[in-house]
Amino acid sequence: MFFLLSKLLYFLLSPLTWCVIAILLYFLSKRTVIRKWSKIIAIGIFLIFSNTYLYNITERYWQINPIPLHKHFEAGIVLGGLISFNQQHQGFFNGAAERYSAALQLYEAGFIRKIIVSGGSGLLLDTTDKEAIFLRQQFLNAAVPDSAILVEDHSRNTYENALFTKKLIKQNKLQPPFVLITSAEHMRRALAVFHQAGISVIPYPVNYNVLPHGENNWYDFIIPNLCNFYKWQDLWKEMIGYAVYHITHKL
């Protein structure tokens, strides 16, 4: 049930959804007041959430800045969300592929001795393809020995990533802290979830949506970008998820 609700919430978090609802109210309502405010709200949502400058400064604040490692760790934890499968069940790296390459680099440099791959299927219906299984093969292809790869392929979200990874850590008697490897936008929420699960981790953020300490171009202030609607949707998901975990942890 929680998994279904999270998918529904993700849809409702989209500013584009809010904009469409406001437009529908404008055309469907017969009341002048509702039509007036629906129009104002639709225009406001468009101007705010299509503005690249506003998105960039919010994203930079939210993302965890790069943290260099200065010691060796027993394992690095790679979270799923970087693989997409087609109808022929072929796996392909998506925009979050740096999670894989970063883990491989850390292993080859000797910063981590083992790689824990955590991720099953995030789909509602077809759960045949498992990200962790695909990633394990990619690490093997990169000459990482099988003995250095631990696989958790049942999780469907970040909460289950932490839950099932904790069991895997106990089974293999691994000693904390561990290096947590995920996207910079996702890192803040992932840290909250793993800490709540009692897993000591060091953040290693990758795949930055907005470069840390970067500068905005002049046109970011004035030219709307509809792609920002989808970027805000992902950012809201992380922010609300982070808030929920902190609230539930205090209750």
Side-chain angles (χ1 to χ4, degrees), residues 3-4 6-7 80-81 83 85 119-131 153-158 160 237:
F3 185 61
L4 291 173
S6 66
K7 293 296 183 182
I83 305 298
F85 294 92
S121 173
L123 299 178
L124 282 173
L125 299 177
D126 187 359
T127 59
T128 303
D129 302 310
K130 308 290 187 180
E131 283 195 64
D153 63 351
H154 299 294
S155 57
R156 299 175 299 172
N157 50 45
T158 308
E160 292 183 356
K237 174 187 175 183

Side-chain angles (χ1 to χ4, degrees), residues 197-218:
I199 306 174
S200 178
V201 292
I202 303 298
Y204 193 82
V206 297
N207 185 41
Y208 282 84
N209 290 337
V210 178
L211 294 179
H213 312 297
E215 295 183 0
N216 290 296
N217 297 308
W218 63 268

Side-chain angles (χ1 to χ4, degrees), residues 145-156:
D146 192 33
S147 59
I149 308 170
L150 300 177
V151 174
E152 181 285 296
D153 63 351
H154 299 294
S155 57
R156 299 175 299 172

Side-chain angles (χ1 to χ4, degrees), residues 2-13 124 233:
F2 174 80
F3 185 61
L4 291 173
L5 289 175
S6 66
K7 293 296 183 182
L8 176 60
L9 179 62
Y10 180 67
F11 170 75
L12 295 176
L13 286 176
L124 282 173
Q233 183 177 13

Side-chain angles (χ1 to χ4, degrees), residues 64-125:
I64 299 293
N65 287 330
I67 301 175
L69 300 181
H70 300 291
K71 56 180 288 188
H72 301 284
F73 299 85
E74 192 159 356
I77 304 170
V78 184
L79 300 189
L82 64 161
I83 305 298
S84 300
F85 294 92
N86 62 15
Q87 293 183 347
Q88 285 72 44
H89 303 288
Q90 296 173 305
F92 298 89
F93 284 103
N94 58 36
E98 193 179 355
R99 301 183 191 185
Y100 164 78
S101 59
L104 184 59
Q105 290 171 0
L106 291 177
Y107 175 80
E108 292 177 341
F111 284 106
I112 56 176
R113 299 183 180 89
K114 292 183 181 294
I115 300 173
I116 300 175
V117 186
S118 178
S121 173
L123 299 178
L124 282 173
L125 299 177

